[in-house]
Amino acid sequence: MAPPKIVILTGAGISRESGLHTFRDPDGIWARHRIEDVATPEAFARTPALVQGFYNARRAQLRDPAIRPNAAHEALAELDARWPGELLLVTQNVDDLHDRAGSRRLIHMHGELAKARCLRCEGVSPAPGDLTPASTCPDCDAAGSLRPHVVWFGEMPLEMERIGQALEGCDLFVSIGTSGAVYPAAGFVREVRHRADTLELNLEPSEGSHLFDEARHGPATQLVPAFVR
Ligand code: BV8
């Protein structure tokens, strides 16, 4: 009997106890910024310096030594290292905490804050500290061509085919620290619930809690290690 195939989806809630703000909590990022001003291609075309500044500030936070993987990230990395069957961690987060915890079988479906993408050659490279409208692409030398390697609203999430294949065959789908407000990630549970076991681990019921076989509520640093062990 092959071990169950697992797909895990995470959102900003798993990084909250590491000190990174979520989006829709009262103290969240969208309480201080409007999506239309900082997280759409139109915003970037209209005010590139303002959008770069928004992401530069969040990227700088990742370099703060106080911001590091928490027990939930570490438990998922442990599971990744020892699970003999198929396992895929799909994160909506653009922080690098799953990577730093050691998760390998990992997809950042909304991109990565620490990386930049060239508008000219599409090359993805480590973001050189702050990005400015003058930043030059290290691959094709085009000046002023770098944008954050982040998926904005209205843009296609990354690796959707690979994610769809993993969802297709999964036996267990676990959603951790996400409000279930953003699609297509919020729709994954609907795709799998008729043929896979589904579990939600979140501080409080998400918009899609009722779609899960089981929902456990509490902080990720308590729920995730308990689930993994
Ligand atoms: C797309 C990167 C087409 C940027 C982000 C269908 C219906 C309705 C709308 C749409 C639809 N299809 C498309 C849309 C439009 C849109 C959308 O969904 N809009 C919403 C607002 C209605 N979607 C898109 O535009 C997407 N693109 O659909 O293209 C397409 C579709 C399919 C296939 C091909 C093409 C692109 C969406 C990506 C946008 N980029 N981020 C950045 O980071 O700046 S989205 C943004 O929201 C973040 O990435 C974040 O990850 C994501 C989801 O938020 P969460 O992670 O869930 O965070 P949130 O604050 O909401 O919730 C935190 C949760 O944690 C809470 O529940 C809280 O209780 C919990 N929590 C807090 N503390 C803890 C905790 N849990 C545990 N422990 C704790 N300690």
Side-chain angles (χ1 to χ4, degrees), residues 11-13 16-17 22-25 30 39 54-55 58 92-94 110 150-157 160 177-184 202-204 206 218-220:
R16 184 68 193 87
E17 290 161 275
T22 63
F23 290 88
R24 292 167 188 82
D25 284 326
W30 300 146
F54 172 67
Y55 287 98
R58 287 172 61 194
Q92 300 172 88
N93 298 340
V94 292
H110 291 163
V150 159
V151 177
W152 284 322
F153 285 91
E155 295 189 316
M156 167 94 91
M160 284 302 292
T178 180
S179 62
V182 175
Y183 291 80
N202 205 56
L203 190 64
E204 58 202 11
S206 74

mmCIF file of all heavy atoms in Angstrom, residues 11-13 16-17 22-25 30 39 54-55 58 92-94 110 150-157 160 177-184 202-204 206 218-220, ligand 1:
data_model
loop_
_atom_site.group_PDB
_atom_site.id
_atom_site.type_symbol
_atom_site.label_atom_id
_atom_site.label_comp_id
_atom_site.label_asym_id
_atom_site.label_seq_id
_atom_site.Cartn_x
_atom_site.Cartn_y
_atom_site.Cartn_z
ATOM 1 N N GLY A 11 -0.685 29.831 3.978
ATOM 2 C CA GLY A 11 -0.898 31.258 3.753
ATOM 3 C C GLY A 11 -0.197 32.038 4.858
ATOM 4 O O GLY A 11 0.519 31.473 5.695
ATOM 5 N N ALA A 12 -0.445 33.325 4.866
ATOM 6 C CA ALA A 12 0.302 34.251 5.735
ATOM 7 C C ALA A 12 0.214 33.902 7.221
ATOM 8 O O ALA A 12 1.088 34.247 8.013
ATOM 9 C CB ALA A 12 -0.210 35.671 5.491
ATOM 10 N N GLY A 13 -0.835 33.191 7.615
ATOM 11 C CA GLY A 13 -1.008 32.845 9.031
ATOM 12 C C GLY A 13 0.113 31.995 9.577
ATOM 13 O O GLY A 13 0.443 32.076 10.760
ATOM 14 N N ARG A 16 2.809 34.283 10.787
ATOM 15 C CA ARG A 16 2.437 35.371 11.720
ATOM 16 C C ARG A 16 3.286 35.306 12.991
ATOM 17 O O ARG A 16 3.740 36.328 13.501
ATOM 18 C CB ARG A 16 0.938 35.253 12.083
ATOM 19 C CG ARG A 16 0.457 36.418 12.967
ATOM 20 C CD ARG A 16 0.454 37.719 12.191
ATOM 21 N NE ARG A 16 0.305 38.904 13.021
ATOM 22 C CZ ARG A 16 1.331 39.531 13.597
ATOM 23 N NH1 ARG A 16 2.582 39.049 13.495
ATOM 24 N NH2 ARG A 16 1.160 40.632 14.313
ATOM 25 N N GLU A 17 3.506 34.076 13.515
ATOM 26 C CA GLU A 17 4.251 33.957 14.780
ATOM 27 C C GLU A 17 5.755 34.125 14.576
ATOM 28 O O GLU A 17 6.515 34.106 15.533
ATOM 29 C CB GLU A 17 3.911 32.611 15.430
ATOM 30 C CG GLU A 17 2.466 32.576 15.958
ATOM 31 C CD GLU A 17 1.971 31.171 16.179
ATOM 32 O OE1 GLU A 17 1.477 30.572 15.187
ATOM 33 O OE2 GLU A 17 2.056 30.652 17.305
ATOM 34 N N THR A 22 -0.011 39.383 8.538
ATOM 35 C CA THR A 22 -0.851 38.728 7.536
ATOM 36 C C THR A 22 -1.445 39.837 6.666
ATOM 37 O O THR A 22 -0.997 40.988 6.736
ATOM 38 C CB THR A 22 -1.986 37.951 8.239
ATOM 39 O OG1 THR A 22 -2.801 38.910 8.934
ATOM 40 C CG2 THR A 22 -1.441 36.935 9.221
ATOM 41 N N PHE A 23 -2.411 39.493 5.865
ATOM 42 C CA PHE A 23 -3.010 40.487 4.959
ATOM 43 C C PHE A 23 -4.329 41.027 5.475
ATOM 44 O O PHE A 23 -4.580 42.233 5.432
ATOM 45 C CB PHE A 23 -3.211 39.863 3.565
ATOM 46 C CG PHE A 23 -1.896 39.621 2.877
ATOM 47 C CD1 PHE A 23 -1.208 38.433 3.073
ATOM 48 C CD2 PHE A 23 -1.334 40.608 2.092
ATOM 49 C CE1 PHE A 23 0.036 38.229 2.470
ATOM 50 C CE2 PHE A 23 -0.094 40.408 1.479
ATOM 51 C CZ PHE A 23 0.582 39.223 1.677
ATOM 52 N N ARG A 24 -5.189 40.104 5.960
ATOM 53 C CA ARG A 24 -6.572 40.523 6.236
ATOM 54 C C ARG A 24 -6.916 40.570 7.719
ATOM 55 O O ARG A 24 -8.045 40.805 8.069
ATOM 56 C CB ARG A 24 -7.538 39.591 5.467
ATOM 57 C CG ARG A 24 -7.402 39.819 3.958
ATOM 58 C CD ARG A 24 -8.052 38.760 3.100
ATOM 59 N NE ARG A 24 -7.684 39.014 1.709
ATOM 60 C CZ ARG A 24 -6.526 38.618 1.167
ATOM 61 N NH1 ARG A 24 -5.659 37.931 1.891
ATOM 62 N NH2 ARG A 24 -6.210 38.911 -0.083
ATOM 63 N N ASP A 25 -5.912 40.322 8.582
ATOM 64 C CA ASP A 25 -6.186 40.504 10.011
ATOM 65 C C ASP A 25 -6.265 42.013 10.286
ATOM 66 O O ASP A 25 -5.814 42.826 9.458
ATOM 67 C CB ASP A 25 -5.068 39.850 10.843
ATOM 68 C CG ASP A 25 -5.231 38.313 10.861
ATOM 69 O OD1 ASP A 25 -6.395 37.847 10.850
ATOM 70 O OD2 ASP A 25 -4.217 37.605 10.855
ATOM 71 N N TRP A 30 -3.239 44.725 4.232
ATOM 72 C CA TRP A 30 -4.295 45.433 3.477
ATOM 73 C C TRP A 30 -5.061 46.406 4.374
ATOM 74 O O TRP A 30 -5.942 47.095 3.902
ATOM 75 C CB TRP A 30 -5.239 44.448 2.792
ATOM 76 C CG TRP A 30 -4.613 43.503 1.803
ATOM 77 C CD1 TRP A 30 -4.991 42.225 1.567
ATOM 78 C CD2 TRP A 30 -3.501 43.739 0.915
ATOM 79 N NE1 TRP A 30 -4.207 41.654 0.607
ATOM 80 C CE2 TRP A 30 -3.268 42.559 0.180
ATOM 81 C CE3 TRP A 30 -2.663 44.840 0.656
ATOM 82 C CZ2 TRP A 30 -2.261 42.435 -0.765
ATOM 83 C CZ3 TRP A 30 -1.666 44.715 -0.284
ATOM 84 C CH2 TRP A 30 -1.464 43.527 -0.989
ATOM 85 N N ALA A 39 -0.483 46.222 -5.460
ATOM 86 C CA ALA A 39 -0.368 44.780 -5.788
ATOM 87 C C ALA A 39 -1.129 44.402 -7.059
ATOM 88 O O ALA A 39 -1.757 43.343 -7.137
ATOM 89 C CB ALA A 39 -0.869 43.942 -4.607
ATOM 90 N N PHE A 54 7.061 49.540 -1.672
ATOM 91 C CA PHE A 54 6.216 48.635 -0.857
ATOM 92 C C PHE A 54 6.891 47.280 -0.703
ATOM 93 O O PHE A 54 6.981 46.727 0.401
ATOM 94 C CB PHE A 54 4.854 48.504 -1.546
ATOM 95 C CG PHE A 54 3.927 47.473 -0.970
ATOM 96 C CD1 PHE A 54 3.387 47.613 0.308
ATOM 97 C CD2 PHE A 54 3.587 46.345 -1.706
ATOM 98 C CE1 PHE A 54 2.527 46.660 0.840
ATOM 99 C CE2 PHE A 54 2.733 45.375 -1.189
ATOM 100 C CZ PHE A 54 2.202 45.526 0.087
ATOM 101 N N TYR A 55 7.424 46.765 -1.817
ATOM 102 C CA TYR A 55 8.073 45.445 -1.755
ATOM 103 C C TYR A 55 9.485 45.537 -1.153
ATOM 104 O O TYR A 55 9.934 44.622 -0.454
ATOM 105 C CB TYR A 55 8.065 44.770 -3.134
ATOM 106 C CG TYR A 55 6.671 44.306 -3.466
ATOM 107 C CD1 TYR A 55 5.831 45.063 -4.269
ATOM 108 C CD2 TYR A 55 6.163 43.143 -2.881
ATOM 109 C CE1 TYR A 55 4.529 44.676 -4.506
ATOM 110 C CE2 TYR A 55 4.862 42.751 -3.112
ATOM 111 C CZ TYR A 55 4.043 43.514 -3.914
ATOM 112 O OH TYR A 55 2.745 43.133 -4.125
ATOM 113 N N ARG A 58 9.073 45.284 2.568
ATOM 114 C CA ARG A 58 8.770 43.913 3.016
ATOM 115 C C ARG A 58 9.986 43.005 2.842
ATOM 116 O O ARG A 58 10.245 42.116 3.646
ATOM 117 C CB ARG A 58 7.553 43.383 2.258
ATOM 118 C CG ARG A 58 6.256 44.040 2.723
ATOM 119 C CD ARG A 58 5.092 43.660 1.852
ATOM 120 N NE ARG A 58 4.829 42.218 1.864
ATOM 121 C CZ ARG A 58 4.039 41.623 0.966
ATOM 122 N NH1 ARG A 58 3.489 42.332 -0.003
ATOM 123 N NH2 ARG A 58 3.826 40.318 1.035
ATOM 124 N N GLN A 92 1.240 30.255 -0.564
ATOM 125 C CA GLN A 92 0.824 31.538 -1.149
ATOM 126 C C GLN A 92 1.794 32.631 -0.690
ATOM 127 O O GLN A 92 1.745 33.745 -1.202
ATOM 128 C CB GLN A 92 -0.592 31.915 -0.704
ATOM 129 C CG GLN A 92 -1.658 30.919 -1.091
ATOM 130 C CD GLN A 92 -2.988 31.269 -0.443
ATOM 131 O OE1 GLN A 92 -3.796 32.034 -0.984
ATOM 132 N NE2 GLN A 92 -3.211 30.732 0.744
ATOM 133 N N ASN A 93 2.630 32.287 0.290
ATOM 134 C CA ASN A 93 3.490 33.299 0.904
ATOM 135 C C ASN A 93 4.667 33.625 -0.003
ATOM 136 O O ASN A 93 5.204 32.747 -0.700
ATOM 137 C CB ASN A 93 4.003 32.801 2.264
ATOM 138 C CG ASN A 93 2.871 32.548 3.230
ATOM 139 O OD1 ASN A 93 1.763 33.064 3.050
ATOM 140 N ND2 ASN A 93 3.110 31.731 4.242
ATOM 141 N N VAL A 94 5.061 34.870 0.044
ATOM 142 C CA VAL A 94 6.217 35.304 -0.750
ATOM 143 C C VAL A 94 7.457 35.434 0.144
ATOM 144 O O VAL A 94 8.538 35.763 -0.329
ATOM 145 C CB VAL A 94 5.916 36.638 -1.487
ATOM 146 C CG1 VAL A 94 4.855 36.411 -2.555
ATOM 147 C CG2 VAL A 94 5.468 37.738 -0.528
ATOM 148 N N HIS A 110 2.654 32.324 -5.475
ATOM 149 C CA HIS A 110 2.524 33.775 -5.656
ATOM 150 C C HIS A 110 3.874 34.455 -5.777
ATOM 151 O O HIS A 110 3.968 35.675 -5.634
ATOM 152 C CB HIS A 110 1.740 34.387 -4.483
ATOM 153 C CG HIS A 110 0.282 33.989 -4.486
ATOM 154 N ND1 HIS A 110 -0.522 34.132 -3.385
ATOM 155 C CD2 HIS A 110 -0.493 33.429 -5.444
ATOM 156 C CE1 HIS A 110 -1.741 33.707 -3.676
ATOM 157 N NE2 HIS A 110 -1.744 33.256 -4.912
ATOM 158 N N VAL A 150 6.811 38.618 -7.930
ATOM 159 C CA VAL A 150 5.629 38.377 -7.088
ATOM 160 C C VAL A 150 4.415 38.372 -8.009
ATOM 161 O O VAL A 150 4.377 39.131 -8.977
ATOM 162 C CB VAL A 150 5.541 39.524 -6.037
ATOM 163 C CG1 VAL A 150 4.162 39.662 -5.477
ATOM 164 C CG2 VAL A 150 6.550 39.313 -4.919
ATOM 165 N N VAL A 151 3.442 37.503 -7.754
ATOM 166 C CA VAL A 151 2.236 37.443 -8.593
ATOM 167 C C VAL A 151 1.229 38.467 -8.088
ATOM 168 O O VAL A 151 0.759 38.365 -6.942
ATOM 169 C CB VAL A 151 1.612 36.030 -8.542
ATOM 170 C CG1 VAL A 151 0.306 35.985 -9.346
ATOM 171 C CG2 VAL A 151 2.592 34.997 -9.091
ATOM 172 N N TRP A 152 0.899 39.432 -8.913
ATOM 173 C CA TRP A 152 -0.066 40.461 -8.499
ATOM 174 C C TRP A 152 -1.496 40.017 -8.818
ATOM 175 O O TRP A 152 -1.723 39.046 -9.540
ATOM 176 C CB TRP A 152 0.274 41.765 -9.230
ATOM 177 C CG TRP A 152 1.479 42.449 -8.625
ATOM 178 C CD1 TRP A 152 1.807 42.540 -7.305
ATOM 179 C CD2 TRP A 152 2.515 43.134 -9.339
ATOM 180 N NE1 TRP A 152 2.999 43.217 -7.160
ATOM 181 C CE2 TRP A 152 3.438 43.612 -8.366
ATOM 182 C CE3 TRP A 152 2.748 43.394 -10.677
ATOM 183 C CZ2 TRP A 152 4.579 44.331 -8.730
ATOM 184 C CZ3 TRP A 152 3.885 44.124 -11.034
ATOM 185 C CH2 TRP A 152 4.787 44.581 -10.071
ATOM 186 N N PHE A 153 -2.486 40.728 -8.292
ATOM 187 C CA PHE A 153 -3.882 40.391 -8.596
ATOM 188 C C PHE A 153 -4.115 40.584 -10.094
ATOM 189 O O PHE A 153 -3.667 41.574 -10.668
ATOM 190 C CB PHE A 153 -4.816 41.261 -7.758
ATOM 191 C CG PHE A 153 -4.857 40.815 -6.324
ATOM 192 C CD1 PHE A 153 -3.986 41.358 -5.391
ATOM 193 C CD2 PHE A 153 -5.721 39.802 -5.917
ATOM 194 C CE1 PHE A 153 -3.982 40.918 -4.069
ATOM 195 C CE2 PHE A 153 -5.735 39.357 -4.598
ATOM 196 C CZ PHE A 153 -4.858 39.923 -3.678
ATOM 197 N N GLY A 154 -4.768 39.574 -10.672
ATOM 198 C CA GLY A 154 -5.012 39.626 -12.120
ATOM 199 C C GLY A 154 -3.928 38.914 -12.888
ATOM 200 O O GLY A 154 -4.057 38.700 -14.090
ATOM 201 N N GLU A 155 -2.845 38.498 -12.220
ATOM 202 C CA GLU A 155 -1.773 37.767 -12.910
ATOM 203 C C GLU A 155 -1.908 36.269 -12.635
ATOM 204 O O GLU A 155 -2.448 35.857 -11.607
ATOM 205 C CB GLU A 155 -0.393 38.260 -12.438
ATOM 206 C CG GLU A 155 -0.122 39.714 -12.823
ATOM 207 C CD GLU A 155 1.319 40.138 -12.555
ATOM 208 O OE1 GLU A 155 1.861 39.807 -11.477
ATOM 209 O OE2 GLU A 155 1.887 40.806 -13.418
ATOM 210 N N MET A 156 -1.385 35.489 -13.546
ATOM 211 C CA MET A 156 -1.448 34.028 -13.435
ATOM 212 C C MET A 156 -0.532 33.556 -12.315
ATOM 213 O O MET A 156 0.647 33.890 -12.297
ATOM 214 C CB MET A 156 -0.982 33.443 -14.775
ATOM 215 C CG MET A 156 -0.688 31.955 -14.732
ATOM 216 S SD MET A 156 -2.105 31.048 -15.222
ATOM 217 C CE MET A 156 -1.798 30.932 -16.990
ATOM 218 N N PRO A 157 -1.061 32.782 -11.344
ATOM 219 C CA PRO A 157 -0.182 32.188 -10.329
ATOM 220 C C PRO A 157 0.826 31.271 -11.010
ATOM 221 O O PRO A 157 0.610 30.810 -12.121
ATOM 222 C CB PRO A 157 -1.152 31.403 -9.440
ATOM 223 C CG PRO A 157 -2.485 32.058 -9.669
ATOM 224 C CD PRO A 157 -2.476 32.473 -11.101
ATOM 225 N N MET A 160 0.908 26.428 -11.995
ATOM 226 C CA MET A 160 -0.461 25.929 -11.809
ATOM 227 C C MET A 160 -0.628 24.505 -12.348
ATOM 228 O O MET A 160 -1.424 23.727 -11.825
ATOM 229 C CB MET A 160 -1.460 26.867 -12.490
ATOM 230 C CG MET A 160 -1.711 28.153 -11.732
ATOM 231 S SD MET A 160 -2.329 27.872 -10.054
ATOM 232 C CE MET A 160 -3.941 27.217 -10.425
ATOM 233 N N GLY A 177 -3.202 28.302 7.850
ATOM 234 C CA GLY A 177 -2.941 29.736 7.988
ATOM 235 C C GLY A 177 -3.369 30.560 6.801
ATOM 236 O O GLY A 177 -2.685 31.507 6.405
ATOM 237 N N THR A 178 -4.532 30.231 6.210
ATOM 238 C CA THR A 178 -5.002 31.054 5.100
ATOM 239 C C THR A 178 -6.493 31.337 5.264
ATOM 240 O O THR A 178 -7.267 30.506 5.718
ATOM 241 C CB THR A 178 -4.718 30.391 3.726
ATOM 242 O OG1 THR A 178 -5.201 31.242 2.677
ATOM 243 C CG2 THR A 178 -5.351 29.028 3.602
ATOM 244 N N SER A 179 -6.879 32.557 4.865
ATOM 245 C CA SER A 179 -8.281 32.982 5.047
ATOM 246 C C SER A 179 -9.198 32.411 3.983
ATOM 247 O O SER A 179 -10.418 32.523 4.080
ATOM 248 C CB SER A 179 -8.351 34.517 4.978
ATOM 249 O OG SER A 179 -7.923 34.953 3.680
ATOM 250 N N GLY A 180 -8.621 31.804 2.943
ATOM 251 C CA GLY A 180 -9.464 31.268 1.865
ATOM 252 C C GLY A 180 -10.174 32.382 1.116
ATOM 253 O O GLY A 180 -11.295 32.212 0.644
ATOM 254 N N ALA A 181 -9.501 33.523 0.995
ATOM 255 C CA ALA A 181 -10.127 34.685 0.336
ATOM 256 C C ALA A 181 -9.634 34.883 -1.085
ATOM 257 O O ALA A 181 -10.251 35.586 -1.867
ATOM 258 C CB ALA A 181 -9.826 35.961 1.132
ATOM 259 N N VAL A 182 -8.506 34.270 -1.429
ATOM 260 C CA VAL A 182 -7.865 34.554 -2.723
ATOM 261 C C VAL A 182 -7.854 33.304 -3.599
ATOM 262 O O VAL A 182 -7.437 32.230 -3.167
ATOM 263 C CB VAL A 182 -6.429 35.072 -2.495
ATOM 264 C CG1 VAL A 182 -5.707 35.255 -3.813
ATOM 265 C CG2 VAL A 182 -6.483 36.409 -1.747
ATOM 266 N N TYR A 183 -8.315 33.491 -4.822
ATOM 267 C CA TYR A 183 -8.352 32.396 -5.793
ATOM 268 C C TYR A 183 -7.152 32.490 -6.716
ATOM 269 O O TYR A 183 -6.581 33.572 -6.866
ATOM 270 C CB TYR A 183 -9.659 32.482 -6.598
ATOM 271 C CG TYR A 183 -10.866 32.148 -5.733
ATOM 272 C CD1 TYR A 183 -11.401 33.116 -4.882
ATOM 273 C CD2 TYR A 183 -11.396 30.865 -5.713
ATOM 274 C CE1 TYR A 183 -12.476 32.804 -4.053
ATOM 275 C CE2 TYR A 183 -12.468 30.563 -4.884
ATOM 276 C CZ TYR A 183 -12.993 31.538 -4.055
ATOM 277 O OH TYR A 183 -14.038 31.226 -3.229
ATOM 278 N N PRO A 184 -6.753 31.398 -7.327
ATOM 279 C CA PRO A 184 -7.356 30.061 -7.306
ATOM 280 C C PRO A 184 -7.025 29.222 -6.068
ATOM 281 O O PRO A 184 -7.650 28.188 -5.863
ATOM 282 C CB PRO A 184 -6.762 29.403 -8.552
ATOM 283 C CG PRO A 184 -5.457 30.075 -8.751
ATOM 284 C CD PRO A 184 -5.673 31.494 -8.318
ATOM 285 N N ASN A 202 -6.059 26.482 11.305
ATOM 286 C CA ASN A 202 -6.086 27.939 11.192
ATOM 287 C C ASN A 202 -6.430 28.562 12.547
ATOM 288 O O ASN A 202 -7.080 27.913 13.380
ATOM 289 C CB ASN A 202 -7.131 28.349 10.137
ATOM 290 C CG ASN A 202 -6.828 29.690 9.520
ATOM 291 O OD1 ASN A 202 -5.742 29.907 8.971
ATOM 292 N ND2 ASN A 202 -7.778 30.625 9.640
ATOM 293 N N LEU A 203 -6.042 29.838 12.721
ATOM 294 C CA LEU A 203 -6.317 30.464 14.024
ATOM 295 C C LEU A 203 -7.819 30.516 14.295
ATOM 296 O O LEU A 203 -8.287 30.312 15.409
ATOM 297 C CB LEU A 203 -5.730 31.888 14.040
ATOM 298 C CG LEU A 203 -5.718 32.583 15.413
ATOM 299 C CD1 LEU A 203 -4.805 31.821 16.376
ATOM 300 C CD2 LEU A 203 -5.263 34.025 15.292
ATOM 301 N N GLU A 204 -8.573 30.778 13.225
ATOM 302 C CA GLU A 204 -10.046 30.835 13.368
ATOM 303 C C GLU A 204 -10.658 30.306 12.075
ATOM 304 O O GLU A 204 -9.955 30.147 11.075
ATOM 305 C CB GLU A 204 -10.462 32.294 13.598
ATOM 306 C CG GLU A 204 -10.014 33.199 12.472
ATOM 307 C CD GLU A 204 -9.917 34.669 12.885
ATOM 308 O OE1 GLU A 204 -9.992 34.972 14.076
ATOM 309 O OE2 GLU A 204 -9.751 35.491 11.973
ATOM 310 N N SER A 206 -11.855 29.804 8.513
ATOM 311 C CA SER A 206 -11.636 30.595 7.296
ATOM 312 C C SER A 206 -12.952 30.661 6.518
ATOM 313 O O SER A 206 -13.962 30.068 6.927
ATOM 314 C CB SER A 206 -10.592 29.894 6.424
ATOM 315 O OG SER A 206 -11.202 28.752 5.821
ATOM 316 N N GLY A 218 -6.483 27.288 16.166
ATOM 317 C CA GLY A 218 -5.463 27.664 17.147
ATOM 318 C C GLY A 218 -4.238 28.163 16.408
ATOM 319 O O GLY A 218 -4.220 28.217 15.175
ATOM 320 N N PRO A 219 -3.173 28.526 17.148
ATOM 321 C CA PRO A 219 -1.958 29.029 16.501
ATOM 322 C C PRO A 219 -1.221 27.922 15.757
ATOM 323 O O PRO A 219 -1.141 26.785 16.235
ATOM 324 C CB PRO A 219 -1.118 29.573 17.652
ATOM 325 C CG PRO A 219 -1.810 29.243 18.908
ATOM 326 C CD PRO A 219 -3.106 28.575 18.609
ATOM 327 N N ALA A 220 -0.673 28.256 14.608
ATOM 328 C CA ALA A 220 0.024 27.273 13.756
ATOM 329 C C ALA A 220 1.177 26.597 14.510
ATOM 330 O O ALA A 220 1.426 25.401 14.339
ATOM 331 C CB ALA A 220 0.543 27.959 12.502
HETATM 332 C C1 BV8 B 1 -5.754 34.909 -10.986
HETATM 333 C C2 BV8 B 1 1.310 38.340 -3.743
HETATM 334 C C3 BV8 B 1 -6.382 34.232 -13.161
HETATM 335 C C4 BV8 B 1 1.493 39.779 -3.616
HETATM 336 C C5 BV8 B 1 -1.070 37.876 -3.707
HETATM 337 C C6 BV8 B 1 -12.607 33.939 -8.586
HETATM 338 C C7 BV8 B 1 -13.500 34.530 -7.697
HETATM 339 C C8 BV8 B 1 -13.216 35.770 -7.144
HETATM 340 C C9 BV8 B 1 -12.024 36.458 -7.496
HETATM 341 C C10 BV8 B 1 -11.161 35.869 -8.362
HETATM 342 C C11 BV8 B 1 -11.435 34.624 -8.917
HETATM 343 N N1 BV8 B 1 -10.393 34.296 -9.731
HETATM 344 C C12 BV8 B 1 -9.508 35.304 -9.742
HETATM 345 C C13 BV8 B 1 -9.933 36.276 -8.913
HETATM 346 C C14 BV8 B 1 -9.233 37.539 -8.667
HETATM 347 C C15 BV8 B 1 -8.216 37.435 -7.558
HETATM 348 C C16 BV8 B 1 -8.875 37.160 -6.255
HETATM 349 O O1 BV8 B 1 -8.935 36.014 -5.807
HETATM 350 N N2 BV8 B 1 -9.317 38.230 -5.609
HETATM 351 C C17 BV8 B 1 -9.886 38.082 -4.293
HETATM 352 C C18 BV8 B 1 -9.426 39.252 -3.420
HETATM 353 C C19 BV8 B 1 -11.409 38.033 -4.407
HETATM 354 N N3 BV8 B 1 -7.205 36.453 -7.831
HETATM 355 C C20 BV8 B 1 -6.166 36.759 -8.645
HETATM 356 O O2 BV8 B 1 -6.073 37.823 -9.211
HETATM 357 C C21 BV8 B 1 -5.096 35.688 -8.828
HETATM 358 N N4 BV8 B 1 -4.869 35.522 -10.235
HETATM 359 O O3 BV8 B 1 -6.774 34.454 -10.533
HETATM 360 O O4 BV8 B 1 -5.420 34.857 -12.330
HETATM 361 C C22 BV8 B 1 -6.119 32.769 -13.139
HETATM 362 C C23 BV8 B 1 -6.808 31.922 -12.252
HETATM 363 C C24 BV8 B 1 -6.569 30.567 -12.270
HETATM 364 C C25 BV8 B 1 -5.640 30.064 -13.142
HETATM 365 C C26 BV8 B 1 -4.962 30.928 -13.992
HETATM 366 C C27 BV8 B 1 -5.189 32.289 -13.983
HETATM 367 C C28 BV8 B 1 -3.757 36.119 -8.249
HETATM 368 C C29 BV8 B 1 -3.832 36.125 -6.744
HETATM 369 C C30 BV8 B 1 -2.440 36.394 -6.197
HETATM 370 C C31 BV8 B 1 -2.346 37.822 -5.754
HETATM 371 N N5 BV8 B 1 -1.138 38.001 -4.988
HETATM 372 N N6 BV8 B 1 0.078 38.018 -3.058
HETATM 373 C C32 BV8 B 1 1.920 40.144 -2.216
HETATM 374 O O5 BV8 B 1 2.148 39.259 -1.351
HETATM 375 O O6 BV8 B 1 2.034 41.339 -2.028
HETATM 376 S S1 BV8 B 1 -2.451 37.447 -2.820
HETATM 377 C C33 BV8 B 1 -2.265 37.686 -1.139
HETATM 378 O O7 BV8 B 1 -3.387 37.029 -0.514
HETATM 379 C C34 BV8 B 1 -1.066 36.989 -0.531
HETATM 380 O O8 BV8 B 1 -0.272 36.304 -1.436
HETATM 381 C C35 BV8 B 1 -1.668 35.964 0.396
HETATM 382 O O9 BV8 B 1 -0.929 34.817 0.435
HETATM 383 C C36 BV8 B 1 -2.941 35.730 -0.244
HETATM 384 C C37 BV8 B 1 -3.947 35.024 0.573
HETATM 385 O O10 BV8 B 1 -4.002 35.628 1.854
HETATM 386 P P1 BV8 B 1 -3.681 34.687 3.118
HETATM 387 O O11 BV8 B 1 -2.327 34.114 2.945
HETATM 388 O O12 BV8 B 1 -4.805 33.751 3.329
HETATM 389 O O13 BV8 B 1 -3.587 35.762 4.285
HETATM 390 P P2 BV8 B 1 -4.826 36.416 5.041
HETATM 391 O O14 BV8 B 1 -4.290 37.575 5.811
HETATM 392 O O15 BV8 B 1 -5.953 36.628 4.097
HETATM 393 O O16 BV8 B 1 -5.294 35.294 6.065
HETATM 394 C C38 BV8 B 1 -4.409 34.868 7.087
HETATM 395 C C39 BV8 B 1 -5.091 33.738 7.843
HETATM 396 O O17 BV8 B 1 -4.188 33.253 8.844
HETATM 397 C C40 BV8 B 1 -6.354 34.177 8.565
HETATM 398 O O18 BV8 B 1 -7.383 33.229 8.333
HETATM 399 C C41 BV8 B 1 -5.951 34.172 10.054
HETATM 400 O O19 BV8 B 1 -7.021 33.775 10.888
HETATM 401 C C42 BV8 B 1 -4.880 33.127 10.061
HETATM 402 N N7 BV8 B 1 -3.881 33.296 11.130
HETATM 403 C C43 BV8 B 1 -3.427 34.474 11.668
HETATM 404 N N8 BV8 B 1 -2.513 34.186 12.620
HETATM 405 C C44 BV8 B 1 -2.377 32.837 12.673
HETATM 406 C C45 BV8 B 1 -3.254 32.269 11.729
HETATM 407 N N9 BV8 B 1 -3.365 30.934 11.559
HETATM 408 C C46 BV8 B 1 -2.596 30.151 12.336
HETATM 409 N N10 BV8 B 1 -1.737 30.616 13.270
HETATM 410 C C47 BV8 B 1 -1.601 31.952 13.462
HETATM 411 N N11 BV8 B 1 -0.747 32.404 14.399
#
